[in-house]
Amino acid sequence: MTVDQVNGRPVADPHEAEHFVRQFHRETGRTDSLGARLSAVRREIAETGGYVHTPEELAFGARVAWRNSARCIGRLYWRSLVVRDRRHVTRLDEVAAECGEHLRLATRGGQIRPVITIFGQDDAHGPRTLIWNEQLIRYAGYPSVGKGCTGDPRSLGITWLAMRLGWRGRGGRFDVLPLILQSRDEGVRLHELDPGDVLEVPLAHPELDWFGELGLRWYAVPAISHMRLRIGGLSYSAAPFNGWYMGTEIGVRDLCDTDRYDALPEVGRRLGLDTSSDRTLWRDRALVEVNRAVLHSFDRAGVSITDHHTESERFLKHVAREEAAGRSCPADWSWIVPPMSGALTPVFHRAYDETRPRPDFHLDAEARRRAQGIGVLPDCLCAAEALEG
Ligand code: ARG
């Protein structure tokens, strides 16, 4: 058996492989071919340490990984995921071009569609391709004297890294970051996205005319790009996937978390609220208006977005459908319940299955570090240089 040179492990876990092959045949009604496929996979693993998914297994595995995403409230449409099998693509300029094509297919002028693009599986030497960015589209964050940060503070590390690699950020609040890609042959490379592939929505409010003056905006397509897709004992380290946004992701977390865009103080002031004490609930009131602006602006721009009330009901429908299909639905209450008005939504008032089945999307510590821009140099050096600007 060929084993991993580094840690002496085979590439695919035979038990997981077998479990997946059985699941695939059972759920897709191909029981006739199960025996033959099982022996082929067993043989391949015994001879090479790994095996290769058929295109159908790959597509099924990716859809089930979404179905199993315990933190995702939007799983009702898991079957509709468009799967782009790009396992043969390894050159980084081609990887970057495929990411651009992914965004075009997913965006469709605003009628957003869930898509995943899957690059080559890890082999005995580890990942072939890595995307360092946590999402294909993210805004840069620059250290700034006095204000702490211009742009998205979450991107401070990766912005610093991009600039070390030669990127020239314009220093704005909403500069789209370049992709930072890595392969074994080419090392780490920067690739700019084509601005035409990045749909953005400037934010305005249905009644408050001044809201547009805040200059807030957000991008249309959330495409997670640093998670590892695990199917049947194999690992795909580069497999960016997207859905459409739920308004609160932008309106509560991205724009109003104090360690993100922290928009509430200004919105509260502009609303003329008494901001002297939390007990006036000025933050709660301002938060509602930011979220109305997000939903209104996406609707006005013709860009798909869901709200937390609708999506909570859809999610419970999904849970019921899964149960009707004889499966239970893994879910993490603390992620499923929306970050505002939790108890107004039905998902708040119940408990969920805490098992975590595979196929799944997995975020390992290394990927998190890369997305924070702390993979190349010692952390202390990164932190110090990021602060210096
Ligand atoms: N919460 C993340 C963000 O605000 C996006 C996560 C994925 N969201 C989705 N609707 N598929 O950027």
Side-chain angles (χ1 to χ4, degrees):
M1 185 187 286
T2 308
V3 293
D4 185 324
Q5 306 297 310
V6 184
N7 58 24
R9 279 201 314 261
V11 174
D13 176 273
H15 300 290
E16 239 188 87
E18 185 156 326
H19 183 269
F20 170 72
V21 169
R22 287 181 187 282
Q23 179 185 18
F24 169 73
H25 284 79
R26 188 175 61 245
E27 285 196 34
T28 59
R30 294 171 213 233
T31 35
D32 290 355
S33 51
L34 173 63
R37 181 60 179 146
L38 270 183
S39 20
V41 167
R42 282 189 197 124
R43 194 174 340 109
E44 217 176 323
I45 294 180
E47 281 167 11
T48 70
Y51 70 109
V52 178
H53 287 136
T54 65
E56 293 76 20
E57 287 168 350
L58 187 73
F60 171 80
R63 293 184 182 123
V64 174
W66 182 10
R67 188 177 85 196
N68 286 338
S69 296
R71 296 174 165 188
C72 176
I73 193 175
R75 286 177 272 166
L76 181 62
Y77 304 111
W78 66 273
R79 287 174 193 280
S80 71
L81 179 67
V82 174
V83 180
R84 304 178 66 234
D85 180 355
R86 292 296 181 275
R87 287 178 287 178
H88 54 282
V89 175
T90 52
R91 263 182 39 198
L92 292 182
D93 56 344
E94 291 173 2
V95 170
E98 290 294 347
C99 292
E101 178 65 8
H102 177 128
L103 288 175
R104 287 191 290 280
L105 285 171
T107 308
R108 283 199 297 177
Q111 214 192 322
I112 293 165
R113 168 165 62 178
V115 176
I116 184 167
T117 299
I118 305 173
F119 297 103
Q121 71 187 55
D122 296 8
D123 63 15
H125 306 283
R128 291 165 205 266
T129 312
L130 287 172
I131 301 173
W132 285 47
N133 314 64
E134 65 171 348
Q135 293 184 27
L136 295 181
I137 304 172
R138 264 306 203 203
Y139 295 124
Y142 311 92
S144 90
V145 184
K147 277 187 293 182
C149 177
T150 299
D152 192 343
R154 189 174 171 99
S155 302
L156 275 169
I158 195 136
T159 304
W160 170 85
L161 178 63
M163 294 181 82
R164 286 288 303 239
L165 292 167
W167 184 64
R168 295 202 185 284
R170 293 192 318 276
R173 290 168 77 199
F174 297 98
D175 299 346
V176 174
L177 283 163
L179 295 174
I180 301 182
L181 306 176
Q182 181 179 6
S183 77
R184 254 177 239 157
D185 297 340
E186 296 171 76
V188 179
R189 295 260 169 105
L190 282 183
H191 285 270
E192 289 274 8
L193 290 170
D194 180 338
D197 293 340
V198 181
L199 181 60
E200 292 179 275
V201 179
L203 300 188
H205 189 280
E207 289 120 31
L208 305 166
D209 291 338
W210 50 262
F211 198 95
E213 294 163 19
L214 300 177
L216 299 174
R217 57 199 292 121
W218 207 254
Y219 51 87
V221 177
I224 305 291
S225 47
H226 67 338
M227 290 181 87
R228 173 188 296 274
L229 169 60
R230 301 191 294 195
I231 303 174
L234 296 177
S235 231
Y236 298 89
S237 293
F241 59 93
N242 76 278
W244 51 79
Y245 264 116
M246 181 163 88
T248 54
E249 298 184 82
I250 303 170
V252 180
R253 306 299 312 280
D254 297 330
L255 294 178
C256 295
D257 271 4
T258 51
D259 59 357
R260 300 291 301 287
Y261 279 83
D262 194 21
L264 290 182
E266 187 169 7
V267 173
R269 260 195 312 279
R270 293 268 203 152
L271 281 168
L273 300 176
D274 174 2
T275 60
S276 64
S277 152
D278 276 349
R279 283 177 73 86
T280 67
L281 302 190
W282 69 270
R283 298 209 293 158
D284 312 63
R285 293 177 65 188
L287 186 66
V288 171
E289 300 311 333
V290 174
N291 280 273
R292 290 184 66 211
V294 169
L295 293 172
H296 166 79
S297 308
F298 272 63
D299 286 347
R300 195 181 59 161
V303 176
S304 314
I305 193 161
T306 184
D307 65 83
H308 49 294
H309 300 289
T310 306
E311 211 53 35
S312 294
E313 292 199 351
R314 282 191 192 147
F315 181 67
L316 291 189
K317 190 166 160 193
H318 167 68
V319 174
R321 272 198 201 169
E322 285 299 290
E323 281 164 3
R327 296 184 290 261
S328 104
C329 175
D332 181 338
W333 189 98
S334 69
W335 277 69
I336 295 297
V337 171
M340 70 185 284
S341 312
L344 300 186
T345 65
V347 292
F348 178 96
H349 303 275
R350 52 164 293 166
Y352 301 99
D353 174 3
E354 288 178 7
T355 60
R356 296 292 174 262
R358 291 188 195 171
D360 69 354
F361 292 104
H362 176 77
L363 182 58
D364 50 51
E366 278 305 302
R368 195 185 310 253
R369 285 164 54 82
R370 280 192 296 271
Q372 290 168 350
I374 49 180
V376 177
L377 295 171
D379 297 4
C380 52
L381 191 58
C382 286
E385 293 208 33
L387 286 175
E388 280 161 27

